[in-house]
Amino acid sequence: MTSASGEDLSIGVAWRATMMANSSRDPYWQASVRRETIDHPRAAHEIEDECSTCHMPMSHTAARAAGTPASVFAHLPQAARPGAAQPDALSRLAQDGVSCTLCHQITPGNFGSPGSFSGGFTIDTKTPAEARPLFGPFTPDPALQKVMHSATGFRQTEGAHVRQSELCATCHTLYTTARDRAGQAVGRFPEQVPFQEWQHSIYVESASCQTCHMPAIAGEAPIASVLGQPRAGARKHSFVGGNFFVLAMLNRFRDALGVEALPAELEQASASTLAHLEESTARLTIDRAASDGRQLTVDVSIANLSGHKLPTAYPSRRAWIRLIVRDGSGRTVFSSGALRPSGAIEGNANDEQPAAFEPHYREIRRGDQVQIYESILADGAGAITTSLISALRYAKDNRLLPKGFDKHTAHADIAVHGDARDDADFTSGGDRVRYAVDLAGASAPFTVEAALLFQPIGFRWADNLRGYPADEPSRFVRYFDAMSSQSAAPLATASATVR
Amino acid sequence: MKGLGLTLTAAVLLGATIGLKAQTPGTNLAAPPSHASAQRSGEQIYRAACAACHGPDGRGAPQARVGFDTPLPDFADCAFASPEAEADWFAIVHAGGPVRAFARRMPAFGGALTDDEILRVVGHIRGLCGDRRWPPGDLNLPRALVTEKAYPENEALFVVRASRRGGASVTTSAIYERRIGARSQWEVAVPVALQQSGSEGPWTRGLGDFAAAFKHVVFHDAERGSIVSLGGELVLPTGRRSTGAGNGTVVFEPFVSAGQAIGGGFLQAQAGVELPGDTARASREAFVRLAAGQTFFEGRFHREWSPMLELAAARPLVAGAPIEWDVVPQVQVSLSRRHHVLVSAGLQVPVANREGRGRTFHAYLLWDWFDGGFFTGW
């Protein structure tokens, strides 16, 4: 399918190069699930069931409908191996990630309710397959309904709810069951809640998840390659987000991971993600840069352009300010937040020591101080952790707030944690940080380069998988080590010269 | 002279069957709906409805593009695209792959395209085989019990012929036919004869006369629905003559076969001579066979019934020999959904020169193996 301008609009092609399509192939997810089952062996089955709900939703739903427990590792590995038996139907469903017939079968009955979250989507598994509706935003053409039904067994049905954020929230709002070492449930942890963040922003009135993450197609375009009629308001199924890194990883290690999207498609998806991050997520400005001869003062403002916290959702993501000051000869006078080849941030306490972390800063004076917008998790005993199943609270959450987000009235699940709570410059729509740089005799002119960098998987979240005695964590650590220098991307940059 | 007359009669009948206007078989066209588009050509419809999976050239879009692993046919491959009748193409486009036991991924377009549009797009698809040497499947008429059809086929048959003339005789034959290129076919037949000596005598069993044949289409006209083939069969004396299982001599049988489609009906004719190597063991004989019938479908696309009536005449090429006239009422029925396994049965009844000649029961089980395995497509 192509647009009037010749752009490829094929839904399936766009989808298969997304994280949605590859939700079960994601090597980081596989490694993380394995790690959690090793950490909590008595709850291994419950963990697999819980994690497969959204990452292998079709096999999970089918298994549940059949009255059998859902699993993760029974469907792995997914790469074709010489001599290995063909995967069974359930494993093929597992491999297909979040596919068309998952989202388009979700019914709206419980939308927005707590029961709809954490994979609480409802699919009518009671209606015989040949009579089941498949919801879409457009009024179906009766003639084409028959075409689709004959080939799939589904009945095209108009359902405007597929354009509601509440549909995405069924999986992208995740409350995990926190467990102790014995596997006992000890609480409930709001692991990712972008939907609630959005609800607490000004965007709740003007944009849905789909508005940004499923870009609109200009003009009229067909939504089917078989007798497709031009439709106004169609949207791309590119599900552009922030995870350029795992998309690149899926492409590089495609054979081992059983990836089906073509190399060029994943390259395009990764490039589109980077472009989206650079164009639509943040703006960085140097409000003031002045020198009194002994000290250089730089005020940096970050504006969050997204409809939720930045970064949001899965807590391995982090954004930080890298600020470099050079003197007239090009010598570096000051550096904060430089990325090491290992993927670690220079000066970040958490990357040096798993139990430590950088506080939220209002002013930065030394190079070993870094303004990192992140969530830091703690377990029931207060120990810093990257285990989602162990995590019970946030020790730090200074992720940038969207416009309209009042941190004083925010629900506990989306609250700001740590020093950012009391920072008057950390407010709705962004943050301002002052850098006070000791010039130590360096001479003008000074060049200031500031960037907001982003990592989908922070160093600590990858490094904590090192040493686990299982294939999936070992493999992911190998992959991360091989690609760590490409693990970050700039969201926004600015520069200034001080004479 | 009478032999010559018989041959001339055959020639006239063959000629009469050629030149009649053919109609689309089996589609039983309904009146087009009011929204039928007379504007879109078959190619335009193909590009809108079919090209996404079947590719713009009909060779099948790449698997990486369509995203499923069901093999896609190559419409440009004449060996694949030409043997099936338009009725089968129409049925699959209209009712979807499952109507002929193909993959469900092939949708049913009956609600989205008018009959006329389907015919246009089928016409375009069948035109993707650009080699006109391949006769279209519409000329592949139902196989009669005794009249050799003109169309070259890929088939395997199990044939039974049973008669009672004093003693009972049951001959079962395994026949294998294979197409060669656009217009030719070879076949072999291995019969096994079961004979009873007298009405109460013992039964004997043995190999019958092995036969090998070749057939070549010399003329076909899709527009007129006509096809003519020339062929020859060589019968080897592998059966025991003493038990009645064989002729005891080599027999060469040159023949001409013709077929004419007329709407859902058809006429077929065959004429030829049997030329034994040893006329003391078998007589030279001329024969003419005619078959007329019509194909009906259960529902619109389902089981296929083809009742036929054959008229068979044979006369030894000996002065004063009488002509043996037989009629053979019969019916052919498709068994599989793919219509590639069929059964036919009929009774050959002498109507002239009946002295010493009894009725013969004929039946066959036919498997068009090119369309799939025997047990697939049901």
Side-chain angles (χ1 to χ4, degrees):
Chain A
M1 295 190 299
T2 55
S3 68
S5 62
E7 183 188 4
D8 189 341
L9 301 176
S10 303
I11 291 171
V13 171
W15 164 82
R16 71 181 173 193
T18 65
M19 289 306 301
M20 301 282 272
N22 293 286
S23 61
S24 71
R25 298 186 187 99
D26 178 350
Y28 182 58
W29 173 73
Q30 291 178 11
S32 299
V33 178
R34 180 67 79 182
R35 172 256 178 98
E36 300 291 359
T37 60
I38 292 171
D39 284 351
H40 308 89
R42 292 182 186 173
H45 293 304
E46 290 92 332
I47 291 166
E48 285 193 55
D49 183 77
E50 187 174 17
C51 296
S52 67
T53 311
C54 289
H55 280 264
M56 294 178 167
M58 295 194 297
S59 60
H60 177 96
T61 303
R64 283 291 187 86
T68 56
S71 61
V72 170
F73 298 111
H75 305 305
L76 300 180
Q78 294 169 327
R81 289 165 297 155
Q86 287 295 306
D88 61 18
L90 213 55
S91 289
R92 288 199 300 275
L93 286 176
Q95 186 163 353
D96 224 12
V98 186
S99 187
C100 318
T101 52
L102 190 281
C103 293
H104 286 272
Q105 277 195 87
I106 292 174
T107 57
N110 67 352
F111 269 15
S113 71
S116 73
F117 303 143
S118 306
F121 52 81
T122 53
I123 286 177
D124 177 7
T125 55
K126 299 287 185 282
T127 301
E130 293 297 310
R132 279 195 209 162
L134 206 62
F135 300 106
F138 299 107
T139 305
D141 178 319
L144 296 182
Q145 270 180 309
K146 292 178 185 173
V147 173
M148 180 160 169
H149 182 262
S150 69
T152 66
F154 290 106
R155 298 197 179 280
Q156 285 170 297
T157 306
E158 185 172 5
H161 66 277
V162 301
R163 291 194 155 167
Q164 288 179 235
S165 296
E166 283 79 356
L167 185 142
C168 311
T170 59
C171 267
H172 288 280
T173 297
L174 176 56
Y175 290 89
T176 46
T177 304
R179 297 178 186 274
D180 61 16
R181 285 278 167 182
Q184 294 300 306
V186 294
R188 188 164 159 275
F189 177 65
E191 184 235 275
Q192 49 178 300
V193 283
F195 173 72
Q196 285 80 352
E197 295 161 8
W198 166 80
Q199 283 185 309
H200 200 56
S201 77
I202 62 166
Y203 298 99
V204 69
E205 301 296 338
S206 59
S208 66
C209 304
Q210 292 88 334
T211 304
C212 298
H213 296 283
M214 297 180 70
I217 297 166
E220 291 192 330
I223 56 167
S225 59
V226 175
L227 297 172
Q229 304 302 306
R231 304 276 197 172
R235 291 190 168 275
K236 295 178 184 175
H237 285 58
S238 51
F239 300 107
V240 63
N243 205 342
F244 68 91
F245 184 55
V246 170
L247 289 174
M249 194 175 277
L250 286 161
N251 209 10
R252 179 161 170 179
F253 302 102
R254 54 187 305 106
D255 293 339
L257 297 171
V259 171
E260 291 183 1
L262 301 180
E265 292 164 0
L266 275 164
E267 277 172 32
Q268 174 63 44
S270 190
S272 298
T273 303
L274 287 166
H276 170 75
L277 289 170
E278 203 164 340
E279 294 163 11
S280 311
T281 56
R283 187 173 56 246
L284 184 150
T285 53
I286 297 174
D287 298 334
R288 175 172 172 262
S291 164
D292 61 6
R294 290 180 297 111
Q295 180 174 283
L296 181 71
T297 304
V298 181
D299 290 342
V300 176
S301 287
I302 307 282
N304 175 6
L305 307 181
S306 75
H308 42 66
K309 288 183 181 180
L310 180 70
T312 188
Y314 194 80
S316 68
R317 300 165 183 179
R318 62 187 183 183
W320 72 98
I321 299 173
R322 183 189 64 195
L323 190 123
I324 298 169
V325 179
R326 292 189 175 90
D327 66 11
S329 67
R331 183 178 65 89
T332 299
V333 176
F334 176 86
S335 172
S336 164
L339 182 71
R340 289 183 174 148
S342 65
I345 302 170
E346 210 166 278
N348 176 20
N350 187 238
D351 287 350
E352 302 293 336
Q353 296 286 336
F357 61 92
E358 291 290 295
H360 174 82
Y361 292 97
R362 300 177 203 195
E363 181 175 275
I364 287 178
R365 291 183 160 273
R366 301 193 317 264
D368 62 352
Q369 298 173 326
V370 193
Q371 183 71 314
I372 306 175
Y373 302 107
E374 63 185 345
S375 54
I376 297 289
L377 282 48
D379 65 15
I384 302 305
T385 183
T386 54
S387 163
L388 298 181
I389 304 299
S390 302
L392 190 56
R393 64 179 184 85
Y394 285 98
K396 172 191 177 185
D397 184 355
N398 68 333
R399 291 173 295 174
L400 293 155
L401 304 177
K403 271 187 187 171
F405 189 106
D406 184 343
K407 62 184 177 184
H408 302 295
T409 60
H411 186 276
D413 291 347
I414 53 172
V416 175
H417 295 272
D419 297 337
R421 200 174 36 217
D422 302 317
D423 178 1
D425 289 331
F426 183 84
T427 183
S428 159
D431 182 33
R432 177 186 285 183
V433 192
R434 169 159 292 180
Y435 286 80
V437 176
D438 182 356
L439 292 173
S443 52
F446 297 102
T447 304
V448 181
E449 293 171 0
L452 183 69
L453 301 181
F454 169 72
Q455 250 181 344
I457 301 172
F459 172 84
R460 175 55 47 212
W461 287 79
D463 201 61
N464 278 2
L465 294 169
R466 207 177 293 275
Y468 274 91
D471 288 345
E472 295 85 358
S474 307
R475 181 180 63 182
F476 175 74
V477 169
R478 278 200 317 276
Y479 291 175
F480 186 88
D481 288 347
M483 299 180 67
S484 56
S485 61
Q486 305 141 58
S487 62
L491 302 184
T493 59
S495 62
T497 303
V498 180
R499 301 195 181 280
Chain B
M1 285 297 288
K2 284 192 178 177
L4 179 62
L6 188 64
T7 308
L8 286 171
T9 304
V12 169
L13 286 167
L14 285 171
T17 63
I18 296 169
L20 302 173
K21 185 73 177 171
Q23 295 173 25
T24 306
T27 52
N28 303 326
L29 295 184
S34 57
H35 65 272
S37 165
Q39 306 305 312
R40 290 196 296 181
S41 68
E43 182 177 5
Q44 288 171 320
I45 298 165
Y46 178 85
R47 291 195 178 281
C50 316
C53 292
H54 290 288
D57 56 1
R59 294 185 181 276
Q63 187 188 327
R65 187 74 192 171
V66 295
F68 54 76
D69 51 12
T70 306
L72 288 157
D74 181 356
F75 296 148
D77 176 6
C78 298
F80 167 83
S82 66
E84 303 309 326
E86 186 175 70
D88 289 312
W89 289 92
F90 186 96
I92 290 168
V93 175
H94 190 286
V99 78
R100 288 288 179 270
F102 289 109
R104 184 177 185 165
R105 290 193 191 279
M106 171 63 201
F109 287 90
L113 299 174
T114 65
D115 288 357
D116 190 52
E117 286 175 320
I118 293 175
L119 286 174
R120 267 183 267 154
V121 77
V122 165
H124 171 75
I125 291 168
R126 298 179 85 197
L128 293 171
C129 155
D131 189 343
R132 298 286 164 243
R133 291 176 306 153
W134 293 75
D138 306 290
L139 306 180
N140 187 4
L141 305 172
R143 183 188 184 102
L145 290 169
V146 294
T147 305
E148 176 74 25
K149 69 176 174 181
Y151 195 88
E153 262 290 20
N154 290 305
E155 290 175 348
L157 291 100
F158 179 74
V159 179
V160 177
R161 195 173 68 234
S163 64
R164 178 176 284 284
R165 294 183 207 166
S169 159
V170 180
T171 302
T172 57
S173 300
I175 301 174
Y176 178 80
E177 300 175 343
R178 189 178 190 96
R179 194 164 179 168
I180 312 167
R183 296 184 169 212
S184 303
Q185 172 205 301
W186 61 265
E187 80 176 63
V188 292
V190 181
V192 174
L194 194 62
Q195 306 280 347
Q196 187 186 27
S197 176
S199 59
E200 302 294 328
W203 288 84
T204 57
R205 188 179 61 186
L207 191 66
D209 283 347
F210 175 92
F214 178 82
K215 183 167 67 181
H216 181 77
V217 178
V218 293
F219 168 81
H220 74 270
D221 185 330
E223 185 70 18
R224 295 179 181 278
S226 311
I227 183 167
V228 180
S229 292
L230 294 178
E233 183 175 60
L234 187 66
V235 182
L236 303 176
T238 51
R240 288 171 60 189
R241 187 164 182 265
S242 59
T243 62
N247 282 317
T249 180
V250 171
V251 179
F252 176 59
E253 183 184 298
F255 63 85
V256 55
S257 289
Q260 177 65 51
I262 310 167
F266 52 86
L267 288 173
Q268 297 184 75
Q270 182 191 11
V273 289
E274 293 179 0
L275 304 173
D278 182 351
T279 53
R281 291 176 172 255
S283 59
R284 294 181 182 177
E285 192 174 89
F287 61 85
V288 174
R289 298 158 186 168
L290 300 171
Q294 171 114 12
T295 298
F296 301 93
F297 289 86
E298 281 183 27
R300 193 173 176 187
F301 305 119
H302 302 299
R303 194 177 302 284
E304 201 176 310
W305 294 79
S306 298
M308 291 177 253
L309 182 66
E310 279 186 280
L311 181 64
R315 178 183 179 278
L317 295 176
V318 178
I323 300 175
E324 296 175 349
W325 290 96
D326 295 348
V327 292
V328 192
Q330 62 198 266
V331 63
Q332 184 203 64
V333 186
S334 62
L335 298 182
S336 63
R337 255 194 305 158
R338 193 163 294 174
H339 292 196
H340 74 313
V341 177
L342 305 100
V343 66
S344 180
L347 194 63
Q348 184 168 356
V349 181
V351 292
N353 192 25
R354 297 159 62 182
E355 187 63 34
R357 298 196 302 124
R359 297 176 178 182
T360 303
F361 171 77
H362 294 260
Y364 66 69
L365 177 70
L366 183 155
W367 167 34
D368 185 343
W369 51 263
F370 194 77
D371 280 349
F374 186 88
F375 296 105
T376 60
W378 291 78

